[in-house]
């Protein structure tokens, strides 16, 4: 009897591993939000990392997290490192490209609770009296991440954070 149970457990693990191996090697998560005002009004909230924290969906998860800023005050090369609780972990955000009123691209390096590097991009497009902000995250999907994706939709999980962040941005810009 124990052999049948052991065989069933091994079979389930094998099936999960097989399903995980079919997942893509990279992932993309994207959300859009309409923010009141022209791109010139919205852009500083992505380009200045002090302002980024005013609307970041993660900043409020640990109000006591330790922040260290480096590089210029804004634009390419601006960065900050954080050390926080289990909800925000430990990492670093660096602006790698900044095109005024058009695009901010950042590299996010996470060190804890797990190590990974992702690219976040904030694209701004004027539309009438508002700006459409498209927030996109790209990254590699190592096997442990693919295993996770068998059980959890990362697009849904992270997408909720992006939606909350864009709603926060709208509220901050609208003032």
């Amino acid at each position: 009897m124990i052999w049948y149970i052991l065989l069933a457990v091994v079979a389930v693990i094998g099936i999960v591993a097989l399903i995980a191996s079919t997942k893509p090697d990279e992932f993309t998560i994207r959300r859009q939000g309409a923010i009141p005002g022209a791109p010139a009004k919205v852009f500083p909230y992505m380009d200045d990392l002090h302002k980024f924290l005013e609307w970041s969906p993660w900043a409020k998860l640990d109000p006591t997290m330790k922040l260290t800023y480096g590089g210029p005050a804004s634009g390419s090369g601006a960065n900050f490192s954080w050390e926080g609780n289990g909800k925000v972990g430990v990492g670093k955000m660096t602006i790698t490209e900044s095109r005024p009123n058009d695009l901010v691209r950042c590299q996010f390096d996470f060190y804890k609770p797990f190590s990974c590097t992702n690219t976040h991009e904030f694209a701004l497009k004027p539309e009438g009296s508002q700006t459409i902000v498209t927030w996109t995250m790209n990254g590699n999907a190592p096997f442990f991440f693919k295993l996770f994706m068998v059980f959890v939709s990362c697009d849904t999980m992270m997408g909720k954070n992006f939606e909350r962040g864009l709603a926060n941005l709208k509220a901050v810009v609208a003032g």
Side-chain angles (χ1 to χ4, degrees):
M1 180 68 168
I2 190 94
W3 289 107
Y4 292 117
I5 294 171
L6 189 58
L7 185 60
V9 168
V10 169
V12 168
I13 291 171
I15 290 169
V16 168
L18 182 65
I19 293 169
S21 70
T22 66
K23 299 289 182 186
D25 292 333
E26 296 180 353
F27 68 92
T28 299
I29 298 169
R30 180 175 292 118
R31 294 294 187 275
Q32 285 188 331
I35 311 301
K41 183 178 179 184
V42 178
F43 178 76
Y45 289 93
M46 284 137 242
D47 195 51
D48 179 338
L49 298 182
H50 294 86
K51 287 183 179 267
F52 174 80
L53 288 171
E54 291 179 30
W55 62 273
S56 165
W58 299 285
K60 293 179 182 172
L61 294 177
D62 183 2
T64 64
M65 78 174 139
K66 181 183 172 194
L67 297 169
T68 306
Y69 291 90
S74 62
S76 191
N79 65 79
F80 74 87
S81 298
W82 71 89
E83 290 182 42
N85 62 23
K87 293 180 181 178
V88 298
V90 177
K92 182 177 183 179
M93 176 181 174
T94 304
I95 296 177
T96 57
E97 182 179 356
S98 176
R99 297 193 313 246
N101 308 325
D102 180 47
L103 176 96
V104 175
R105 186 172 288 128
C106 306
Q107 178 174 309
F108 274 74
D109 295 303
F110 295 94
Y111 308 123
K112 289 183 182 178
F114 54 87
S115 179
C116 71
T117 297
N118 298 322
T119 300
H120 288 240
E121 182 177 287
F122 303 96
L124 290 79
K125 179 182 171 197
E127 188 173 286
S129 63
Q130 59 189 6
T131 299
I132 304 301
V133 176
T134 303
W135 185 353
T136 305
M137 178 174 75
N138 296 302
N140 293 324
F143 190 72
F144 79 89
F145 189 74
K146 292 178 184 187
L147 282 171
F148 183 72
M149 290 190 319
V150 170
F151 302 101
V152 176
S153 166
C154 290
D155 183 76
T156 300
M157 183 178 71
M158 285 300 296
K160 288 179 185 178
N161 289 319
F162 286 20
E163 291 163 8
R164 189 170 63 246
L166 290 167
N168 293 346
L169 177 62
K170 182 176 184 176
V172 167
V173 171

